[in-house]
Amino acid sequence: MVSAGNSGHPAPGSGATASASTSTSSPPIGAAVKSPAPPREIPPTLRPLQYLGIPRSVLTWQPKLPSRNWLIFIGTTSTLTALYVYDRRECKRIREEYKDKVRHLAEEPLKPNQFARKVKVYCAKSPGDDDYDKSLMFFKKFVKPILVAAAIDWDTTNGTRYGGLGRAVREDIYARRRQLLGLEAWGTSPSSPGASSSDPPSEAQLTASSPFALSAQDQLQRELEGATVIVGRPAYKEYMWGLKEGWTTSLPAARSDLDEPLAKRLAEDSVFDEVEYPEVVQAREKAERLRNAPPLSRDDEEWQQALAEAEGSAAVSGTAIQGGSSISGSSLSDAERNAAAALASLEDEGDGAGAPLPPRRHGGGAAGSVPFSMGPRSVVEGISSPAANARLAPPAQIPAQAPLVFFEGASSVQAYRESPPQGGDLDWGLRSEDFVLPRFEKTLTDVSKARESYYNDLPRQIRDTRTLARGLREPSAVEKNNPPKTEMQLREERMRREREWEWTEQGYEILRKDNGVAWHEAFRGSLRVFESPREEAKEEL
């Protein structure tokens, strides 16, 4: 019995356990079995595509709502894209609207001897912005298409440095005043850094003698019929500063190099003065020891050669290496002599410093020719005579200027104030100064730090250059591959750095926020402004 019970038949308890464990993996008896969802039917319109090899999953794909993150991404990109497209489309529509208003000017016929209208465009570097071409880019993008549609010619002047536009306007006015007085030939280029009286004539001066060129009167009339386009408030402040400096200050009698005053001032300081270097002191001591050598050794050739080298090294310290150009103030230049002769011949005439047109008797000289001959009086007397000083004095009222083009409503200047707001046209673009970058206020600090760092290192450079050039030491391994600058190069570099620093400081004084637009009472009645038509005038048109 026992063997039969152990023959492989399970016990009652074990069989119940097996059946219970099997029931957990299968649905209970009588429960509904959930069948898988049938595949989505292919739309009737897409059924022919399944015979072209397109997978069934592609034909039965059903779109669903994106997730939250995808909705945020799609909404943001769609909004920004729509705003950009709308902005570009509106800009294009407004530009085309302005072009349609001036297109009739391009269709007006011109006479064979008539020139197209011409405007002067002034751009300047924005304060704190390293991109000095940004205002010029705005002109090309928004103003140039309108000028092209109207068939109007233009001449662009862009200030790439702080105050560069103002200095260019000032020198242009100085050149124009000298030409109006007959001191220079018509079309002579204005003064610039490095300019001299021996420079070749400019292109305008060469073309002035051609038979098809405009006369001085016709050229000035063409300028008055044109306009002055100013792009941005920085260009406005620099232009008005140059206008004030050019017309309300005493006129230089001759065209000169703008770097000459700075070069004279740098030549008078003690930066490049000779000093006693240790190498020179050692060479002098060595020469003294050789001179005190015993008499028997003085006949030796090596002793004589060493003594000559030591004396030469000790004596070379007293000789300065001539670097840069020497400036002589004892003699006058040819331009100053010609200017003095011109002023001497003009003493008997009335005051015409502010005349709108050049005198016909003296204007239109050939390029490079001297329009006046030296009279019996001396050159110095001609320059310093009372009549000459009266000629070079600023006029009581400047000549009529081409009208200014503003992009906002304009009103006349009532009472002048130096600090903004000044009222009237002088406040044009005043709101743009609220967006000036803060680093512009650190301009003077940056210039001071750069100047201090440079002058702290300059004595070392001068010492290395002089000791190496005079043979007081051997060049190092680094100097053999990269020789140091010569003394002339050091002087030129100093001149260039000082010029940049002075220009930057001058430009900062012009463009700073608490300094308004320059104004002078001599401008009143001579400056005009283009005003946009009012709404009533637009309705009448």
Side-chain angles (χ1 to χ4, degrees):
M1 290 293 184
V2 175
S3 61
N6 298 333
S7 61
H9 297 281
S14 64
T17 304
S19 120
S21 63
T22 307
S23 64
T24 57
S25 61
S26 61
I29 299 174
V33 179
K34 185 177 180 180
S35 60
R40 183 173 180 268
E41 293 290 336
I42 301 176
T45 56
L46 301 179
R47 287 175 183 174
L49 299 179
Q50 64 181 341
Y51 302 105
L52 299 179
I54 299 177
R56 181 182 179 86
S57 60
V58 176
L59 299 177
T60 58
W61 178 76
Q62 185 177 5
K64 61 179 180 179
L65 191 66
S67 63
R68 171 180 170 274
N69 294 340
W70 272 107
L71 287 176
I72 295 175
F73 172 75
I74 294 174
T76 304
T77 55
S78 301
T79 302
L80 295 178
T81 304
L83 291 176
Y84 176 78
V85 172
Y86 173 78
D87 178 70
R88 294 298 93 195
R89 186 167 52 193
E90 285 298 308
C91 288
K92 184 177 180 180
R93 182 187 63 81
I94 296 174
R95 191 184 303 116
E96 292 297 328
E97 180 180 350
Y98 279 105
K99 290 168 65 175
D100 293 338
K101 292 181 179 180
V102 299
R103 190 161 285 137
H104 67 279
L105 300 176
E107 299 175 355
E108 295 179 358
L110 292 177
K111 299 179 181 179
N113 59 345
Q114 186 178 0
F115 287 85
R117 294 182 63 185
K118 187 175 183 178
V119 300
K120 291 184 178 181
V121 181
Y122 292 106
C123 307
K125 180 180 178 180
S126 299
D129 194 351
D130 294 334
D131 188 4
Y132 55 83
D133 283 338
K134 183 168 292 186
S135 60
L136 186 61
M137 179 189 66
F138 289 155
F139 163 74
K140 293 180 179 179
K141 190 174 183 180
F142 299 108
V143 183
K144 179 181 175 181
I146 302 175
L147 297 180
V148 173
I152 296 178
D153 194 8
W154 68 87
D155 187 13
T156 306
T157 302
N158 184 28
T160 58
R161 299 180 179 88
Y162 295 144
L165 175 62
R167 289 185 291 269
V169 173
R170 178 191 61 187
E171 296 304 324
D172 288 343
I173 294 175
Y174 280 165
R176 176 59 55 85
R177 289 174 63 182
R178 285 192 291 266
Q179 294 165 12
L180 292 176
L181 290 173
L183 303 180
E184 291 180 351
W186 190 259
T188 304
S189 59
S191 301
S192 61
S196 64
S197 58
S198 60
D199 291 343
S202 62
E203 182 180 356
Q205 192 173 355
L206 293 175
T207 56
S209 58
S210 63
F212 302 100
L214 292 175
S215 62
Q217 288 77 12
D218 294 339
Q219 183 176 350
L220 288 175
Q221 186 63 31
R222 187 189 180 194
E223 293 180 1
L224 293 178
E225 294 175 355
T228 300
V229 180
I230 299 176
V231 183
R233 183 170 176 85
Y236 181 36
K237 297 177 76 172
E238 292 195 21
Y239 172 77
M240 294 298 292
W241 179 87
L243 205 66
K244 181 179 179 180
E245 289 291 319
W247 284 111
T248 62
T249 57
S250 181
L251 174 66
R255 184 169 62 103
S256 60
D257 184 4
L258 298 182
D259 288 340
E260 186 174 354
L262 177 61
K264 288 183 178 179
R265 189 170 70 253
L266 297 181
E268 295 174 355
D269 58 17
S270 59
V271 175
F272 282 88
D273 288 354
E274 291 292 331
V275 296
E276 288 289 341
Y277 299 114
E279 293 83 355
V280 178
V281 176
Q282 294 175 4
R284 186 181 296 110
E285 293 177 354
K286 181 180 179 180
E288 196 67 27
R289 288 196 305 267
L290 291 175
R291 292 192 191 98
N292 298 331
L296 296 178
S297 61
R298 295 184 180 181
D299 295 335
D300 190 1
E301 294 182 359
E302 295 182 359
W303 177 86
Q304 295 179 358
Q305 183 178 0
L307 179 61
E309 293 178 357
E311 290 179 348
S313 300
V316 76
S317 63
T319 305
I321 298 178
Q322 298 298 329
S325 59
S326 60
I327 301 174
S328 176
S330 59
S331 61
L332 296 175
S333 61
D334 294 338
E336 291 175 339
R337 295 178 183 276
N338 297 336
L343 291 173
S345 62
L346 286 172
E347 286 185 359
D348 297 334
E349 297 185 2
D351 185 9
L357 297 178
R360 294 180 181 272
R361 194 184 72 176
H362 306 305
S369 63
V370 180
F372 300 97
S373 59
M374 190 61 190
R377 64 182 62 203
S378 63
V379 176
V380 178
E381 182 183 356
I383 291 181
S384 60
S385 61
N389 294 332
R391 284 286 173 179
L392 300 180
Q397 182 178 1
I398 68 173
Q401 303 293 314
L404 304 179
V405 178
F406 290 165
F407 299 103
E408 296 179 356
S411 59
S412 60
V413 179
Q414 302 296 336
Y416 172 67
R417 295 176 53 189
E418 293 187 358
S419 59
Q422 300 169 279
D425 300 335
L426 301 182
D427 285 342
W428 174 76
L430 183 60
R431 294 176 55 189
S432 63
E433 292 190 347
D434 297 336
F435 304 96
V436 174
L437 297 178
R439 61 180 177 181
F440 177 69
E441 302 299 330
K442 303 179 181 179
T443 301
L444 297 182
T445 305
D446 295 341
V447 170
S448 178
K449 291 181 179 179
R451 182 182 278 119
E452 181 180 1
S453 176
Y454 171 73
Y455 279 105
N456 288 338
D457 187 59
L458 183 59
R460 181 193 60 80
Q461 300 183 33
I462 298 175
R463 173 182 175 180
D464 295 344
T465 298
R466 288 178 174 175
T467 54
L468 184 62
R470 299 172 183 180
L472 301 178
R473 63 179 181 88
E474 293 294 330
S476 62
V478 178
E479 292 175 341
K480 290 180 179 179
N481 298 327
N482 187 16
K485 298 179 180 178
T486 63
E487 188 165 346
M488 181 178 295
Q489 292 175 345
L490 291 177
R491 292 176 182 268
E492 292 176 354
E493 181 185 11
R494 184 192 177 208
M495 179 74 181
R496 178 179 55 82
R497 287 176 179 266
E498 283 290 346
R499 181 177 58 203
E500 291 292 336
W501 290 331
E502 287 194 358
W503 284 356
T504 302
E505 292 172 346
Q506 185 184 54
Y508 174 79
E509 293 298 326
I510 299 173
L511 298 175
R512 58 191 177 94
K513 290 183 179 180
D514 55 346
N515 191 12
V517 179
W519 175 259
H520 196 274
E521 287 301 320
F523 298 163
R524 195 176 298 276
S526 299
L527 297 182
R528 299 171 294 164
V529 176
F530 275 123
E531 295 186 5
S532 58
R534 306 302 179 188
E535 297 296 333
E536 297 80 4
K538 292 182 180 180
E539 294 177 0
E540 294 177 359
L541 294 176

